[in-house]
Amino acid sequence: MSQSLAPAAATGAETDAEGSASAPSRLRPALVLGALGVVYGDIGTSPLYAFKDAVKAATSGGASVPAAATGAVSLILWSLILIVSLKYAVLILRADNRGEGGIVAMLALLGARQARPGSWKALLLVVGLVGAALLYGDGAITPAISVLSAIEGLKVDAPSLGPYVVPITLVILVGLFLVQHKGVAAIGRVFGPVMLVWFAVLGLLGLLGTLHTPQILAAANPFRAFDFMLHAGVHVSFAMLGAAFLAVTGGEAMYADLGHFGALPIRLAWFALVLPALVLNYFGQGALLISAPDALENPFFRLCPDWGHYPLVGLATMATVIASQAIISGVFSLTQQSVQLGFLPAMRIVQTARDERGQIYVPMVNWLLALATLVAVVMFGSSDALAGAYGIAVSMLMGITTLLAALIALRWGYNPVLVFAVNGFFLAIDLVFFAANSVKILEGGWFPLVLAGAVALMMLTWKKGNELVEEARAALRQPEDIFLAGLQHRDLLRLPGTAAFLSAAEHGIPLHLSRFVERNHALMERILIITALYEETPTVPREQRAHVTILAPGFYRVILRYGFMEEASILEGLACAVESRHLPPHVLDDMTVFVGHETIIPKDDARGMAPWREGLFAFMQRNAERTGAFFGVPTRQVVEVGTEIEI
């Protein structure tokens, strides 16, 4: 989900004429290196906590540490192969929306946004939005557990530092969220090299451990995992599955970052470096526990020679900060897409780099995410405790992704029998892991679910509320021909200049235009009715940006189209219309932009939502970013016309 970091890390990404990154057409080393820092930061730091938690769960039923270690390594190995290598790297990466990935791109590809209420697509939209909301829960937990697990390495050589682990973690995380407004374009370029060193160290430590105790190689046999869980009992097996799943969390970033790197660099980085390094490290940790069962408290750092503990803590801290930054930036990117597709209210989105796409900062989301992350650190206090909260949101997301990928494959005409067989197999695996993680709800799994539930509620309420508002607008909106005919019978004062009225609809007269004429008995010499629409595709070429219809002399309707990965700018769109000669240049002279400012009045009737949801929608609408600012119109050019609407 770390989309916003990609351009900074992958300076070799190709760009189109507008400077937007496009899916790379050929392999470049910079893209592979960039993918290490952006795509694989989360899954790359899983060895810090995933293996030890899996072994602790496996030994809870009385099994010996060496036997549990062998079973855990086998389970993690085949989870990485089945879920990340086969499902994501081979299957899911094919389900791109013109090169873009992510669950919002999937919803756009399936056309779920325009679903009729009560249809199967409407249900699909709810499922997809829940999946998107789960990423927010993941975004709060990942920085907390990653940085905590790195700082806990201090206790290996200095147990007396134990009480300082949480304060140090809080300081690092606060610093990370404080610098978000500066952007990550500069430091993003070092993420790839740092993670390259990290994966090299992972592989080297694991190789040395495996060579010391080669008996661990028996874990390559998947039946070692099956045999262990078969004899361990259902409770222990589920706990072990839930802990082992932590080793594959972060695999979903492969698909989320598809648009910035392309499938080939992502696959090459995974199969050539990341997967071998992770497998070697897990085997090395398992080998260590076979020869030294007392190392269970922190096998990752015990795998390293004593002289290297503190440097490894420093490197691990940098790696977890990179993983956290990737998650935070991914949440920013997801928020931007959700706003543009109408799933969240408009909010302030700051571009932190003018020449690189996706470098954004969302202040409100940053501080809400910071609050949730810091609360998680203080509430749970250790990576072991946080492991109970981690996993359930990602397992649900992976199941939803598999389901949506199956629907996309059917939409593209693949053999239904093949689709059901392949996706059904992976969905069964997802459901097993989800069931295993579900037993951790009382141990902390409720935390990301509460966060995700709150976000999903806001998304669904905002979308439904906007539908109700548009119904109310449509009932009040005049058709163009009636309005224009009425102007012939009015003695209007014609003012110099151009008036641009922003409208949410492609047809009819905006309410604030008809109210302006009704109250002021005046009209500008030139009138533009402008509608900005977000399409179901990532980008729209500039030459297709503007469509202009002449309604009357000096009276134009302008439809501007943008992709869900683009920022809509009214002035840029009008410039495109002039460039393509759809509008005469003088129309943009002395232009004032009129924006409707609607006050929502919740009404207690059966037509709308529950009163408390209508109140929530009204609150969100009052606190949303101003329309003019959201569309990049300078404040001095904006005039707001107020309207009250009952829903």
Side-chain angles (χ1 to χ4, degrees):
M1 29 176 313
S2 45
Q3 296 161 342
S4 298
L5 278 175
T11 54
E14 295 181 355
T15 57
D16 58 23
E18 285 75 41
S20 297
S22 59
S25 59
R26 65 180 185 272
L27 181 64
R28 293 184 177 183
L31 294 176
V32 179
L33 189 63
L36 293 179
V38 178
V39 180
Y40 297 116
D42 187 0
I43 198 170
T45 53
S46 296
L48 287 166
Y49 49 83
F51 177 72
K52 71 172 181 179
D53 288 326
V55 176
K56 287 180 179 179
T59 56
S60 62
S64 66
V65 171
T70 304
V73 170
S74 181
L75 179 59
I76 289 174
L77 168 66
W78 287 98
S79 297
L80 289 170
I81 291 174
L82 291 175
I83 295 179
V84 185
S85 299
L86 293 182
K87 191 181 89 168
Y88 273 97
V90 176
L91 177 67
I92 300 296
L93 288 185
R94 297 174 180 269
D96 67 290
N97 186 342
R98 299 192 183 183
E100 290 292 340
I103 200 160
V104 173
M106 278 184 157
L107 289 176
L109 195 60
L110 291 167
R113 184 165 56 123
Q114 308 299 336
R116 295 191 310 274
S119 65
W120 71 270
K121 279 192 175 183
L123 177 60
L124 182 66
L125 178 63
V126 173
V127 172
L129 290 182
V130 169
L134 289 168
L135 291 172
Y136 288 89
D138 179 33
I141 298 294
T142 297
I145 192 172
S146 298
V147 178
L148 258 179
S149 60
I151 302 302
E152 284 172 348
L154 294 172
K155 297 191 294 184
V156 173
D157 285 329
S160 60
L161 293 177
Y164 300 99
V165 168
V166 169
I168 293 173
T169 300
L170 292 175
V171 169
I172 292 173
L173 290 173
V174 168
L176 179 62
F177 284 105
L178 280 174
V179 301
Q180 290 303 308
H181 71 282
K182 296 183 179 296
V184 292
I187 60 173
R189 292 186 174 89
V190 306
F191 284 1
V194 170
M195 293 306 294
L196 178 62
V197 174
W198 170 253
F199 284 116
V201 170
L202 286 185
L204 179 61
L205 292 177
L207 178 61
L208 294 176
T210 303
L211 292 176
H212 184 269
T213 312
Q215 296 95 311
I216 191 61
L217 294 176
N221 184 349
F223 291 103
R224 296 300 294 265
F226 282 116
D227 182 67
F228 183 88
M229 290 189 290
L230 188 64
H231 292 88
V234 175
H235 180 74
V236 173
S237 297
F238 261 48
M240 187 178 176
L241 281 166
F245 183 76
L246 302 182
V248 301
T249 55
E252 70 279 1
M254 278 183 165
Y255 184 55
D257 290 306
L258 177 61
H260 291 298
F261 297 101
L264 181 58
I266 289 175
R267 286 176 177 141
L268 182 60
W270 172 253
F271 287 110
L273 179 60
V274 178
L275 178 61
L278 291 176
V279 169
L280 281 173
N281 194 264
Y282 286 123
F283 270 80
Q285 291 189 53
L288 174 66
L289 293 189
I290 290 177
S291 60
D294 61 326
L296 178 57
E297 192 57 37
N298 208 323
F300 177 83
F301 286 101
R302 289 284 297 274
L303 194 59
C304 178
D306 292 344
W307 58 265
H309 281 170
Y310 288 120
L312 185 58
V313 169
L315 179 61
T317 302
M318 286 192 289
T320 55
V321 167
I322 290 172
S324 301
Q325 179 61 67
I327 290 292
I328 294 168
S329 297
V331 171
F332 291 165
S333 182
L334 174 65
T335 301
Q336 183 185 40
Q337 292 178 32
S338 299
V339 167
Q340 291 169 343
L341 288 175
F343 300 142
L344 284 174
M347 57 186 74
R348 183 168 172 247
I349 298 175
V350 180
Q351 285 290 328
T352 58
R354 292 182 178 273
D355 56 344
E356 290 180 348
R357 170 190 171 196
Q359 293 292 312
I360 60 174
Y361 167 64
V362 188
M364 181 183 297
V365 172
N366 182 65
W367 295 116
L368 289 176
L369 190 62
L371 177 63
T373 301
L374 298 178
V375 166
V377 172
V378 174
M379 182 184 300
F380 293 97
S382 70
S383 62
D384 286 346
L386 266 170
Y390 201 30
I392 188 168
V394 181
S395 62
M396 288 181 66
L397 171 63
M398 286 187 172
I400 291 172
T401 301
T402 304
L403 176 63
L404 296 181
L407 295 174
I408 290 172
L410 292 174
R411 185 186 181 99
W412 285 349
Y414 282 90
N415 187 315
V417 175
L418 181 63
V419 171
F420 288 132
V422 174
N423 288 71
F425 170 72
F426 288 118
L427 183 59
I429 295 175
D430 293 333
L431 292 177
V432 168
F433 277 113
F434 172 67
N437 280 285
S438 296
V439 302
K440 300 191 295 184
I441 287 181
L442 296 180
E443 300 173 18
W446 58 269
F447 185 76
L449 292 183
V450 168
L451 297 178
V455 174
L457 174 64
M458 288 190 291
M459 285 181 163
L460 294 170
T461 299
W462 182 254
K463 187 175 187 306
K464 178 63 176 177
N466 273 327
E467 291 172 356
L468 294 173
V469 169
E470 183 54 32
E471 288 178 12
R473 289 195 196 112
L476 299 172
R477 195 179 286 132
Q478 281 185 296
E480 292 100 329
D481 53 350
I482 294 178
F483 177 79
L484 292 172
L487 293 182
Q488 306 300 321
H489 305 290
R490 286 176 176 267
D491 184 18
L492 297 178
L493 175 65
R494 301 309 295 257
L495 304 174
T498 299
F501 290 84
L502 303 190
S503 174
E506 298 179 64
H507 305 283
I509 299 300
L511 296 182
H512 48 296
L513 172 53
S514 55
R515 293 287 173 86
F516 181 87
V517 172
E518 178 184 340
R519 297 298 179 185
N520 296 291
H521 306 288
L523 203 57
M524 301 291 194
E525 290 178 338
R526 299 174 295 274
I527 302 296
L528 302 177
I529 299 177
I530 303 173
T531 301
L533 300 176
Y534 283 101
E535 300 295 323
E536 308 283 357
T537 56
T539 59
V540 173
R542 278 179 65 89
E543 59 271 16
Q544 300 175 20
R545 176 82 70 223
H547 177 76
V548 179
T549 303
I550 302 176
L551 302 178
F555 205 117
Y556 306 87
R557 177 176 290 281
V558 182
I559 307 295
L560 304 178
R561 301 184 185 278
Y562 295 86
F564 62 80
M565 293 293 291
E566 297 178 300
E567 291 181 72
S569 168
I570 297 299
L571 300 184
E572 181 267 350
L574 293 177
C576 289
V578 171
E579 288 174 12
S580 57
R581 299 186 177 180
H582 295 318
L583 278 179
H586 71 274
V587 170
L588 305 187
D589 296 339
D590 191 20
M591 183 175 68
T592 302
V593 179
F594 289 83
V595 177
H597 181 74
E598 295 157 338
T599 301
I600 304 301
I601 309 297
K603 187 170 63 172
D604 189 9
D605 61 9
R607 182 180 67 87
M609 299 180 287
W612 65 270
R613 285 188 69 192
E614 291 185 349
L616 174 61
F617 174 75
F619 174 80
M620 295 168 70
Q621 195 267 351
R622 285 195 304 271
N623 290 278
E625 178 78 329
R626 298 290 186 184
T627 304
F630 181 75
F631 286 114
V633 182
T635 304
R636 65 182 182 277
Q637 288 184 254
V638 176
V639 174
E640 288 191 343
V641 180
T643 307
E644 289 188 352
I645 292 183
E646 291 185 335
I647 62 171

